[in-house]
Amino acid sequence: RGILKGATRSGKTRVMSVLAKYHQNKNVLILVNSSDLMDQVVGEVANHLQEPVGTIRGWNGWHEQRITVAMVQTLYKYRYKPRFEELAGKTGVILYDEVQSAASDSSRKVLEKITAQHRVGLSGTPLSRDEFRNLITIGLFEDIVQTVTSAELQKAGRIATPHIFLRSIPSAEDEEILAHPPPCNIFKFRGDRDVLDNDKLNPHQVRSILEKRNKMRLAYYQWAFLWGVEENPYVKWAIRQDCEWYVKNKLPVWIPVDTKRHGLKLLNLLSDLDAVFLDRDDPVAVRTVERKAFNNHQRAILISTPIFNVGIDFPCVGAFIPAVGGMDVNNILQFLGRGQ
């Protein structure tokens, strides 16, 4: 048991293939959390081992082999069915790709029903700043047993050393912002701590106050992002200028966004630069074809919602322009390892 912490492009899928081959007398179950990651893992493992790989994606897409790649969402949905119980009983090895997701409620309940003693989790960012989630992950797989850093991969020539450029962007015009006031007064609950310390409040009242405060904060953040980033003409100008330069110099550009609305706006802004926008609503086959076209330099710019943010390989990426909010250290590490 253990967790392999390997930076992006460290060969985690190859490691899974080696482990599956080593345990050739056991059934191996590889867990993933997205259809795009499933297709990538199935293709690479089958190519490495020259062995058929089964898939479990929905009830009608339940096709087992000695090595099977399964969607956690499907297993969770059918965890009380005899078919799942049979799979759980004969599984000898569990490999969890992007194991930071193992702490979710659905993943935990699936893993608790599978008695396989051999468990290996793999990720570039297996642990987070949430200590409670970290304890769950370590409880399911034990601690990190091996680490491969980005610096080691750069020294070995496996990945490029990223060059980071920070642009100073003016805020949107004041009169434009004032024409669209925030949906709520975010400072109204500054005294929450004093309110919540009131011994006369019952748990339901405390929960109600916290929920209202969190909704207000989310609404204020969405308002600030809309008018500070999405509708900010200076941000649009900067993205357009950068993309023109990268496309001219034949560097494929990846622009992740948070919402479909923002992605469509950027697609309209960059449509003449051979840009494509992909979202969860697009069929998996379409996403796969466009992703391959991008990796083969047949698309200049890829704009996408979070469907590709974790685990998906983009070895061709020459430039990365984050048009997303809430970028923490783990997000940045996931993104920066993918450049040429």
Side-chain angles (χ1 to χ4, degrees):
R1 291 193 178 198
I3 295 173
L4 170 61
K5 181 180 180 181
T8 309
R9 304 290 296 163
S10 62
K12 293 185 288 293
T13 308
R14 181 63 64 91
V15 171
M16 287 194 290
S17 300
V18 171
L19 290 172
K21 185 175 182 179
Y22 178 80
H23 293 284
Q24 56 187 343
N25 295 323
K26 295 183 175 68
N27 287 340
V28 178
L29 182 64
I30 301 176
L31 300 178
V32 297
N33 282 279
S34 75
S35 293
D36 298 281
L37 184 56
M38 167 179 274
D39 292 339
Q40 178 177 288
V41 170
V42 169
E44 293 188 19
V45 172
N47 182 59
H48 293 161
L49 300 182
Q50 297 297 304
E51 179 179 344
V53 175
T55 58
I56 297 177
R57 178 165 38 195
W59 185 258
N60 295 325
W62 197 296
H63 309 292
E64 296 180 33
Q65 296 283 350
R66 185 186 75 83
I67 303 172
T68 302
V69 182
M71 293 279 290
V72 171
Q73 295 88 332
T74 298
L75 299 184
Y76 175 74
K77 183 176 181 179
Y78 299 112
R79 64 190 185 280
Y80 296 116
K81 299 290 186 180
R83 180 183 278 184
F84 173 83
E85 294 175 358
E86 181 184 350
L87 173 72
K90 65 184 180 183
T91 296
V93 180
I94 296 176
L95 306 175
Y96 201 128
D97 199 6
E98 302 304 335
V99 73
Q100 67 270 21
S101 301
S104 68
D105 188 59
S106 56
S107 295
R108 179 176 57 80
K109 289 181 178 178
V110 167
L111 288 166
E112 287 174 349
K113 281 184 164 291
I114 302 176
T115 58
Q117 292 300 308
H118 300 286
R119 299 185 178 198
V120 177
L122 306 96
S123 176
T125 53
L127 304 179
S128 66
R129 290 179 294 182
D130 188 331
E131 293 298 328
F132 179 69
R133 290 179 63 88
N134 293 344
L135 286 173
I136 294 175
T137 303
I138 293 172
L140 292 168
F141 288 88
E142 296 193 3
D143 212 341
I144 296 172
V145 295
Q146 182 66 47
T147 300
V148 180
T149 65
S150 296
E152 291 171 328
L153 295 174
Q154 290 167 10
K155 186 175 180 180
R158 288 280 298 167
I159 63 173
T161 301
H163 299 277
I164 302 174
F165 302 94
L166 301 178
R167 271 185 177 272
S168 178
I169 305 292
S171 61
E173 299 297 331
D174 291 341
E175 53 269 20
E176 184 176 2
I177 294 178
L178 291 175
H180 302 275
C184 56
N185 182 0
I186 191 64
F187 304 106
K188 183 178 179 180
F189 282 101
R190 272 186 170 176
D192 268 358
R193 186 177 299 277
D194 297 331
V195 173
L196 295 176
D197 285 341
N198 188 338
D199 294 335
K200 296 180 180 180
L201 293 178
N202 62 49
H204 297 291
Q205 291 173 317
V206 172
R207 181 177 180 181
S208 177
I209 292 173
L210 291 174
E211 287 179 348
K212 188 172 183 179
R213 180 183 64 179
N214 290 337
K215 287 180 181 178
M216 290 178 64
R217 285 180 171 173
L218 177 61
Y220 190 87
Y221 169 81
Q222 291 173 338
W223 171 84
F225 190 85
L226 174 64
W227 295 105
V229 179
E230 276 190 42
E231 297 296 339
N232 189 332
Y234 302 108
V235 173
K236 295 178 181 178
W237 176 85
I239 291 176
R240 173 74 192 193
Q241 292 294 309
D242 287 348
C243 285
E244 286 180 354
W245 189 90
Y246 289 129
V247 171
K248 181 180 178 180
N249 288 274
K250 301 186 184 304
L251 291 173
V253 184
W254 178 29
I255 308 177
V257 296
D258 284 327
T259 65
K260 184 175 183 177
R261 178 189 63 198
H262 192 195
L264 292 173
K265 290 177 182 178
L266 290 179
L267 178 63
N268 183 58
L269 177 70
L270 305 169
S271 58
D272 60 317
L273 297 178
D274 189 27
V276 64
F277 170 63
L278 296 176
D279 178 63
R280 191 177 305 277
D281 293 336
D282 296 313
V284 175
V286 172
R287 300 202 301 257
T288 301
V289 169
E290 289 292 351
R291 185 161 51 87
K292 288 181 179 178
F294 181 68
N295 280 331
N296 292 329
H297 295 262
Q298 296 169 354
R299 283 285 188 185
I301 301 172
L302 173 64
I303 307 165
S304 68
T305 50
I307 52 175
F308 298 144
N309 285 13
V310 177
I312 303 300
D313 290 337
F314 284 126
C316 74
V317 172
F320 163 63
I321 301 176
V324 295
M327 289 281 285
D328 63 12
V329 174
N330 284 354
N331 293 135
I332 294 171
L333 290 174
Q334 285 280 353
F335 285 132
L336 289 184
R338 308 186 189 198
Q340 290 181 340

